[in-house]
Amino acid sequence: MARRVAVIGAGAAGLCAARHLSARPDQFVPTVYEQTDRVGGTWVYTDRVGTDEHGLPVHSSMYKNLRTNLPKEVMAFPDFPFDSSLPSFVTHQEVLKYLEDYTDHFQLRKHIQFLTKVDTVKPVTGAGQTLWEVTVSSVEEPEKITTQQFDAVMVCNGHFSEPYIPEIPQASYFRGISLHSHDYRSPTPFTGMDVVVVGAGNSGLDIALEVSKVARRVVLSHDKELVVSKLPRNLTQSTGIKSFRSPRTVEFKNGEELNADAVIYCTGYSYSFPFLTRECGVCVERGRVSPLYKHVVHTTHTTLSFIGVCNKICPCPQFHLQVQFAMAVLDRSLVLPSKEEMDKEVERDYSERLESGMAPHHAHVLGNKQWEYHVELARLAGCQPLSKALHSLHASVLSERSTDLCGFRNSNYSITGPDTWCKESVLIEQD
Ligand SMILES: Cc1cc2nc3c(=O)[nH]c(=O)nc-3n(C[C@H](O)[C@H](O)[C@H](O)COP(=O)(O)OP(=O)(O)OC[C@H]3O[C@@H](n4cnc5c(N)ncnc54)[C@H](O)[C@@H]3O)c2cc1C
Ligand SMILES: *[C@@H]1O[C@H](CO)[C@@H](O)[C@H](O)[C@H]1NC(C)=O
Ligand SMILES: *[C@@H]1O[C@H](CO)[C@@H](O)[C@H](O)[C@H]1NC(C)=O
């Protein structure tokens, strides 16, 4: 009998789950629950902050002028390229259109229940197997609650919605504008201001650059190695914030001070799975979800999987492999090691990270390790590995980005063969 699989979320990860599950109707029947009225998750831009028109917290962290920081050639699902007429670095609207096209191409809409929020997921054990009781409510009529049983659950709810702001002494002293990048939409409100952008991750760098076009001055405050790229003259770097000395004074750890009008915290997000009941046995810390074998499959309840937990990756190609890996566990074409062995591997992976100097909240950061991880996932899932072109193209783009933050998006790339790519000739942009 076909296995009933509940998929939580219709962002890129949930759509990918639906695409692969629905391709094998004799074995799997997906039901995708999506709390909003459309597919695309974080790529659904809205001017709103706080709550949406149904009173739910705004899920998306997208901002108005965002263009991707990866070329479409490495962003795409391996079985569905972007429109070839687009440049490599596309707008968020174009990514959303891409995900909508993916949805329609694979006829996924019929599997999605929109405006339906998953409230609880609970394992029920009987007759030697675990089933999942999933309770959902209608977003428009919250008193409409239904519970259904499933053979498996794929959690695809994203992890860029729950802002994380580190504690900084006297932060409440500050009387200027203070916001997290989750609520950042456009640079306009910062026109003429002195702005501190905290954090030099993707969002911090990107937002600092766009704010510097209208602000008087932007200080990028972070404790990482200095950004080496050429930057606009009114964008400088300082260390992390030490404290707030007065309603407007930001004091940095290196002793510098700035009279700031606004502080934008680009300090990342926390994992959050409010619908998982305690019986699920999932431990959620700021930067770690455990115990997940290969960052995907729960080691006790192997029919509970998580797609898209990793960081510093090529998301869609990775989701494509993680979904097939989770499916190989479900259809038993992959025989997993014992729970003890899996737990041991999960702990080994984590302690190796700590020993190599990574922060405890970097439990799922892959970066350059993603490529061997992808090879491993494809081997375990028995599916086709990713093109080798992705690895070298991705590495090349990261290196270009690190030295040319302002200009790296002007290049176009193309994949020229199974393992090859090229950079197209670059035109100089005229102002
Ligand atoms: C600002 C920003 C820029 C980015 N730039 C890039 C980029 O350039 N290139 C790139 O490849 N990636 C980029 N990413 C990463 C991006 O997050 C991934 O590409 C991908 O879209 C993640 O998909 P997801 O499905 O895991 O999560 P999401 O897109 O967040 O989707 C999760 C879905 O689950 C739904 N949901 C959540 N909880 C529930 C519930 N309880 N019940 C029902 N539904 C629920 C949400 O409504 C949402 O639709 C960026 C991310 C951000 C935030
Ligand atoms: C990149 O490709 C787009 C779309 O094909 C084109 O409009 C643009 O000029 C190209 N950019 C460069 C720098 O070649
Ligand atoms: C800051 O620098 C940017 C980029 O060089 C420029 O567009 C902007 O006008 C500058 N802002 C001010 C107030 O000088």
Side-chain angles (χ1 to χ4, degrees), residues 144-191:
K144 261 202 193 162
I145 296 170
T146 37
T147 300
Q148 232 183 297
Q149 284 201 339
F150 290 91
D151 300 292
V153 173
M154 291 191 181
V155 178
C156 306
N157 67 327
H159 56 91
F160 295 121
S161 286
E162 187 73 29
Y164 170 78
I165 298 186
E167 264 182 55
I168 298 174
Q170 283 136 23
S172 59
Y173 260 37
F174 186 66
R175 286 282 163 269
I177 301 172
S178 178
L179 79 161
H180 187 273
S181 55
H182 176 59
D183 295 326
Y184 172 87
R185 294 292 177 270
S186 101
T188 318
F190 306 98
T191 305

Side-chain angles (χ1 to χ4, degrees), residues 85-87 410-412 425-427:
S85 68
L86 294 171
N410 292 330
S411 303
N412 286 325
S425 60
V426 179
L427 299 170

Side-chain angles (χ1 to χ4, degrees), residues 9 11-13 34-35 41-43 59 68-69 75 118 156-158 160 315:
E34 170 53 51
Q35 64 189 358
T42 207
W43 296 98
H59 179 85
T68 59
N69 56 20
M75 275 185 65
V118 173
C156 306
N157 67 327
F160 295 121

Side-chain angles (χ1 to χ4, degrees), residues 8 33-35 56 115-122 133-139 141-148 273-278 280:
I8 305 175
Y33 294 112
E34 170 53 51
Q35 64 189 358
L56 294 181
L115 292 168
T116 307
K117 179 170 161 282
V118 173
D119 293 322
T120 60
V121 171
K122 197 174 123 184
E133 221 169 72
V134 177
T135 301
V136 304
S137 57
S138 156
V139 167
E141 298 166 79
E143 65 284 356
K144 261 202 193 162
I145 296 170
T146 37
T147 300
Q148 232 183 297
F273 309 98
F275 42 81
L276 296 181
T277 58
R278 207 155 43 90
C280 296

